[in-house]
Amino acid sequence: MDIRCRKTRCKFNNCYTCKAKEIGVTKKVICGSFEKDPDKPEIDTTKHLFEEPPKYSPQRDSKTAIITCEAPCLFNKCGKCVSNGITVNAIKEKPYCVSFLEK
């Protein structure tokens, strides 16, 4: 499973790959594992999108992370995410799971 995060200020974000041991998506489709790191800068990748590509860490194997989900999502099977990948977007202030598909 590809676990990507666009919240560049999250302490678990390493070049857009989530390194948290546990990831929990809430009923409101928000990453409950998000923790803001005050030492990390907020990066707007859209400003220079066509000038230089962003650096990405290698894909992370989901077997090393516990991924729970409380959202009414198509990929929520008994509280566990069975999606091929998760992407948390940088929309506004909240870290939304954009892989969400309503049942």
Side-chain angles (χ1 to χ4, degrees):
M1 176 188 288
D2 193 19
I3 306 170
R4 296 292 176 189
C5 181
R6 296 180 186 150
K7 294 297 279 182
T8 55
R9 293 201 66 191
C10 182
K11 81 178 212 174
F12 302 114
N13 187 327
N14 181 0
C15 296
Y16 304 99
T17 299
C18 180
K19 299 295 184 179
K21 290 182 182 179
E22 294 184 22
I23 300 166
V25 179
T26 68
K27 290 179 182 178
K28 294 187 177 187
V29 195
I30 295 171
C31 178
S33 308
F34 172 74
E35 289 185 39
K36 192 180 266 189
D37 185 340
D39 297 329
K40 285 187 174 181
E42 188 69 45
I43 300 169
D44 183 0
T45 56
T46 59
K47 282 185 177 181
H48 306 288
L49 185 63
F50 298 105
E51 296 169 17
E52 57 183 275
K55 294 177 184 175
Y56 292 99
S57 285
Q59 179 175 322
R60 180 176 177 207
D61 188 357
S62 63
K63 293 175 186 171
T64 61
I66 298 168
I67 304 170
T68 60
C69 182
E70 298 175 357
C73 181
L74 182 68
F75 302 116
N76 181 349
K77 300 294 181 205
C78 299
K80 296 190 183 221
C81 181
V82 295
S83 173
N84 287 336
I86 295 175
T87 300
V88 174
N89 206 353
I91 299 174
K92 301 180 184 177
E93 290 294 316
K94 307 262 184 198
Y96 290 99
C97 177
V98 295
S99 308
F100 170 77
L101 289 174
E102 193 170 359
K103 281 186 183 178

